[in-house]
Amino acid sequence: MIRSLVLSALALAATTACAQGAAEDLRERAYQAVLDTPGFSYGLTLRYTDADTSWTTEANVVTAAPGGFTRARIETPDETAAWDGAVFRVVFPRTHRVYVDSTGEKAEEGVFGLASFHPTFGLRLAHIENQANKVSLGPNVDVGGRPCRRVTYAMAAPGAPAVDIGVCYDDALALPSQITISQAASGSRIEMTFSDIRAVDAPDASVFAPDTPPGYSAVPYDQSGAPLVAVGAPAPPFSLAADDGTPVRLDAYAGQVVLLDFWGTWCGPCVQALPGLQALHRAYPDLVVLGLAAYEDADADPTAFARQRGATYPIVRAPESVVEAYLVRAFPTYYLIGPDGAVRFTAVHDDDPDAEAHLRTAVADLLGPPR
């Protein structure tokens, strides 16, 4: 859903409306503040909510624009993402890998892509203003104990969901202290609050091109089309145990249709997919759904996490040996296994934004209409 909101906000073929002069002045003042400063450092609190779920993450951000080339680095509890103007890198401790994307396309996604709505990242905010159907000014409000002026950019186009982007410009700093992205049709909302915004000297270029730490491997970030276990091949066997000691063996489900969901409590798209998987589990009593939680911290409780979000199917921790046997490189990854033990369907959310819909179709092909 986050990705769809970002893409909707960027790609709508909107009719350009004449923005009010005060809104233009606020935006121009923000960009002038960026031009006058070699670098910025600030905190970011990102909150996401929709009808089914909500979550919050914290990040530290550093940006610089020497010579007009924007560079940025974001550190969250789960990863460090950096763009040096040519290459996007993500240092991901859970998998001991550094994902590298020389196209920069992956920088448009996730927390990094959302943070790039801030003018310290570049011109995205100016593009939004140019594409907006309507620009409206709100009253002065308070964000983090500081007054700011809110501007709302309404984005709408035939056949596309309407999106409202709200920007609250800090009175003293000129820069946005909060940006929101809301989609009324889905009830989803992203709220980004920027705190402790400080001007800094332009950091060394190495800050935006982190080295591969010892013991890590560097792999292409965009591995679209990289192989999974082939459809028609036998599903790799595994014998695991749930947290309560209950054995979970793949061969125990011989003769049944089995859905494997490789996921993690740390993975936003995985968490958003949980209600849909539970609905599938409920609609098909003969479908075995197994949630294979990967790369979890020792003190994490993926079973309790999933139960709190309504999932009733078995949850089990997947060791790296099982993750590697199924060639999982991104999360969530789905495998649908037929009664004969052969793989019948695979999907990776990162490669296919409609993976969940295609999964439902594949289940219906095997088991017929839902009950």
Side-chain angles (χ1 to χ4, degrees), residues 249-258 288 337-341:
R249 296 174 53 92
L250 183 59
D251 59 12
Y253 302 107
Q256 297 176 266
V257 177
V258 180
V288 177
I337 302 169
D340 59 354

Side-chain angles (χ1 to χ4, degrees), residues 210-302:
D211 292 332
T212 300
Y216 283 55
S217 57
V219 299
Y221 197 130
D222 186 0
Q223 294 190 357
S224 179
L228 291 169
V229 177
V231 171
F238 56 78
S239 179
L240 305 172
D243 287 344
D244 63 2
T246 302
V248 178
R249 296 174 53 92
L250 183 59
D251 59 12
Y253 302 107
Q256 297 176 266
V257 177
V258 180
L259 168 59
L260 304 181
D261 170 32
F262 285 90
W263 73 294
T265 60
W266 45 267
C267 163
C270 303
V271 176
Q272 294 169 44
L274 287 176
L277 293 176
Q278 175 61 24
L280 197 61
H281 175 58
R282 186 170 55 248
Y284 288 93
D286 294 333
L287 175 67
V288 177
V289 181
L290 299 178
L292 300 178
Y295 299 114
E296 296 288 351
D297 293 334
D299 58 352
D301 189 341

Side-chain angles (χ1 to χ4, degrees), residues 46-120:
L46 172 64
R47 295 184 176 89
Y48 175 82
T49 57
D50 62 22
D52 298 314
T53 188
S54 65
W55 50 268
T56 301
T57 192
E58 304 281 342
N60 295 314
V61 184
V62 176
T63 66
F69 292 100
T70 299
R71 299 172 180 175
R73 176 185 176 116
I74 293 182
E75 296 182 1
T76 74
D78 292 317
E79 65 184 33
T80 297
W83 166 253
D84 66 359
V87 178
F88 180 61
R89 298 174 177 85
V90 176
V91 181
F92 199 57
R94 290 183 184 276
T95 60
H96 288 267
R97 292 176 180 173
V98 178
Y99 298 95
V100 182
D101 174 25
S102 59
T103 70
E105 292 180 359
K106 290 295 181 180
E108 299 288 337
E109 302 179 4
V111 177
F112 198 94
L114 288 168
S116 65
F117 278 82
H118 201 272
T120 55

Side-chain angles (χ1 to χ4, degrees), residues 37-50:
T37 307
F40 290 92
S41 172
Y42 47 87
L44 166 63
T45 300
L46 172 64
R47 295 184 176 89
Y48 175 82
T49 57
D50 62 22

